[in-house]
């Protein structure tokens, strides 16, 4: 039996902070004391201001509830270092208004860190650097915290959601996991209204409310949440769609893409592969097409880059080779945009090379025959 009451109290507090709910018997077993001693220690914690509440059930239990004031938290060495490093990198996260809050919290934490831990935090911070991603919309920190708590506690949550077309609806979801990817935050959950798994962008989600109903988590139909999200993004019904056929191995083509999502590149039995391109913004499809054309660092465009060669001849040879290796099936709207981008790039490069008339047509080697619509 544990006779060191201060140490036992700290151990009890650590257990209550680490899990949502404990039965009295479990706490007694972990602490090596009787149920009566556990009850006395719980009363002592309450006297110190910790909001420990009793829970109903067959055997009853205890839970550390949220109170009006934040009580002291017990952190081991790894906890403290992880929190400090996380606060240092929080300024680069896509969570609205968290930068100043993170700095204030970090100052408080570093003030009480023992020297050995302060050195560990400093070494990690000095050896790493973060590049803020500003492309995605910011997410409210309170919304993120509410959904994270629902995921942790396996509580049903209802919220308002706006889909990609702007249509709003009310959702009732079993929240499973939060994933930060591609500059955005996503919630993965089982939608009870749709009777299927769904992914929800947090910047389109509002008014989350836990209904205080617990659920038993279902088996996620994927290896992990990140894999499920990647598959969902690939299969989404995008507004702009195109298909590229590339006479190159699928693995090599995946390496060219900025975002090589699973299922996007499919090998062909006769050789080469097809690439499914899609996005709600046409410029994103253009990005992928350019990535396919450039290839491995641009080696497939501009010939071999021999210093003694002619620049115009090299560009022409590169364009001819690419035209034979890649074909594109896309709607006219995308093809017109690609034509406009190609013309502007041509003007840009000719001006850079000192052409007197960058808009004047120039003979380019390779096929110049008219191509059928949708096959350029």
């Amino acid at each position: 039996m544990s006779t060191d009451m201060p140490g036992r109290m700290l151990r009890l507090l650590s257990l209550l902070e680490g899990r949502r709910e404990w039965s009295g018997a479990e706490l007694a077993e972990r602490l090596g004391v009787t149920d009566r001693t556990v009850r006395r220690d719980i009363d002592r914690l309450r006297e110190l201001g910790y909001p420990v509440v009793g829970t109903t059930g067959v055997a009853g239990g205890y839970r550390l509830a949220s109170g009006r004031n934040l009580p002291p938290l017990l952190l081991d060495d790894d906890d403290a270092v992880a929190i400090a490093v996380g606060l240092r990198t929080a300024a680069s996260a896509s969570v609205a208004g968290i930068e100043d809050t993170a700095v204030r919290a970090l100052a408080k934490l570093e003030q009480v860190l023992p020297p050995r831990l302060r050195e560990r935090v400093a070494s990690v911070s000095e050896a790493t650097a973060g590049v803020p991603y500003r492309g995605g919309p910011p997410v409210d920190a309170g919304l993120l915290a509410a959904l994270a708590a629902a995921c942790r506690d396996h509580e049903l949550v209802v919220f308002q959601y706006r889909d990609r077309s702007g249509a709003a609806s009310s959702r009732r979801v079993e929240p499973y996991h939060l994933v930060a990817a591609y500059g955005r935050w996503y919630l993965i959950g089982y939608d009870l209204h749709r009777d299927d798994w769904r992914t929800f962008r947090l910047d389109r989600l509002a008014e989350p409310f836990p209904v205080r109903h617990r659920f038993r988590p279902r088996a996620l139909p994927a290896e992990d949440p990140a894999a499920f999200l990647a598959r969902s993004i690939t299969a989404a019904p995008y507004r702009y769609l195109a298909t590229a056929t590339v006479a190159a191995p699928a693995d090599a083509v995946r390496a060219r893409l900025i975002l090589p999502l699973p299922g996007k590149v499919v090998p062909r039995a006769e050789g080469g592969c097809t690439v499914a391109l899609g996005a709600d913004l046409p410029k994103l499809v253009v990005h992928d097409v350019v990535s396919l054309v450039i290839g491995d660092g641009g080696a497939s465009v501009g010939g071999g880059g021999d210093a003694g060669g002619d620049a115009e001849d090299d560009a022409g040879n590169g364009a001819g080779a690419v035209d034979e290796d890649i074909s594109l099936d896309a709607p006219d709207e995308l093809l017109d945009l690609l034509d406009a981008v190609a013309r502007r790039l041509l003007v840009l490069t000719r001006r850079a090379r000192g052409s007197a008339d960058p808009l004047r047509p120039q003979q380019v080697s390779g096929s110049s025959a008219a191509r059928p619509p949708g096959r350029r």
Side-chain angles (χ1 to χ4, degrees):
M1 176 180 293
S2 176
T3 57
D4 178 14
M5 188 180 70
R8 189 179 68 242
M9 294 279 290
L10 291 174
R11 174 63 175 155
L12 173 59
L13 181 58
S14 178
L15 290 172
L16 291 171
E17 290 175 346
R19 203 171 86 182
R20 175 179 171 81
E21 187 175 318
W22 291 87
S23 69
E26 288 177 316
L27 291 174
E29 181 181 356
R30 289 293 189 99
L31 297 172
V33 297
T34 64
D35 291 348
R36 183 178 180 182
T37 301
V38 169
R39 289 193 296 271
R40 288 178 176 175
D41 287 348
I42 291 292
D43 289 337
R44 292 188 180 101
L45 287 178
R46 288 167 176 164
E47 291 173 0
L48 292 172
Y50 291 92
V52 183
V53 298
T55 60
T56 59
V58 177
Y62 302 98
R63 176 168 61 90
L64 186 62
S66 56
R68 298 181 60 184
N69 300 310
L70 180 67
L73 300 177
L74 292 179
L75 304 175
D76 60 23
D77 287 5
D78 290 339
D79 290 339
V81 171
I83 292 175
V85 172
L87 290 171
R88 283 185 179 274
T89 58
S92 64
S94 55
V95 180
I98 201 172
E99 294 91 343
D100 292 341
T101 304
V103 171
R104 292 196 303 270
L106 180 61
K108 295 177 182 178
L109 180 60
E110 289 190 335
Q111 184 177 355
V112 298
L113 281 178
R116 69 180 188 282
L117 298 186
R118 194 176 295 117
E119 292 177 3
R120 287 177 59 184
V121 172
S123 63
V124 173
S125 301
E126 292 170 1
T128 59
V131 178
Y133 187 97
R134 300 299 182 188
V139 173
D140 180 72
L143 182 145
L144 193 64
L147 292 174
C151 291
R152 179 199 63 196
D153 299 336
H154 306 310
E155 285 193 53
L156 282 178
V157 63
V158 296
F159 53 80
Q160 299 298 313
Y161 191 71
R162 176 177 47 84
D163 64 18
R164 65 179 63 232
S165 67
S169 61
S170 178
R171 302 297 182 97
R172 186 180 178 90
V173 173
E174 296 176 356
Y176 179 78
H177 213 284
L178 291 168
V179 181
Y182 320 123
R184 293 184 172 90
W185 281 92
Y186 296 86
L187 170 67
I188 297 175
Y190 192 87
D191 191 328
L192 297 178
H193 291 166
R194 273 69 175 175
D195 195 25
D196 198 5
W197 288 91
R198 290 289 190 272
T199 59
F200 303 94
R201 276 177 46 176
L202 263 59
D203 58 295
R204 296 175 177 170
L205 190 153
E207 303 174 18
F209 180 75
V211 298
R212 304 303 178 190
H213 179 74
R214 303 285 292 276
F215 64 89
R216 178 172 295 181
R218 306 169 190 259
L220 183 71
E223 179 182 352
D224 54 49
F228 180 85
L229 175 64
R231 191 179 68 191
S232 298
I233 293 176
T234 302
Y238 293 112
R239 179 179 177 184
Y240 297 96
L241 299 172
T243 302
T245 303
V246 186
D251 289 342
V253 172
R254 287 191 192 95
R256 302 180 188 181
L257 296 173
I258 298 173
L259 192 62
L261 294 170
K264 196 170 185 177
V265 181
V266 179
R268 304 175 69 206
E270 59 270 34
C273 61
T274 58
V275 185
L277 307 174
D280 288 331
L281 296 176
K283 69 177 183 179
L284 299 180
V285 180
V286 172
H287 290 172
D288 273 342
V289 172
V290 173
S291 298
L292 292 175
V293 170
I294 291 177
D296 300 328
S300 61
V301 178
D306 189 350
D310 183 83
E312 292 290 342
D313 289 343
D314 286 343
N317 291 335
V322 167
D323 191 47
E324 295 174 0
D325 291 340
I326 301 176
S327 63
L328 183 66
D329 187 0
D332 286 339
E333 185 176 3
L334 278 176
L335 296 176
D336 291 342
L337 178 59
L338 284 166
D339 280 340
V341 171
R343 287 194 299 270
R344 297 199 59 158
L345 289 175
L346 185 61
V347 170
L348 179 66
T349 55
R350 288 180 175 173
R351 282 177 178 169
R353 289 175 175 144
S355 173
D357 185 3
L359 295 177
R360 180 182 177 183
Q362 298 187 18
Q363 183 64 36
V364 178
S365 61
S367 173
S368 60
R371 303 180 182 88
R375 300 286 295 178
R376 302 190 185 181

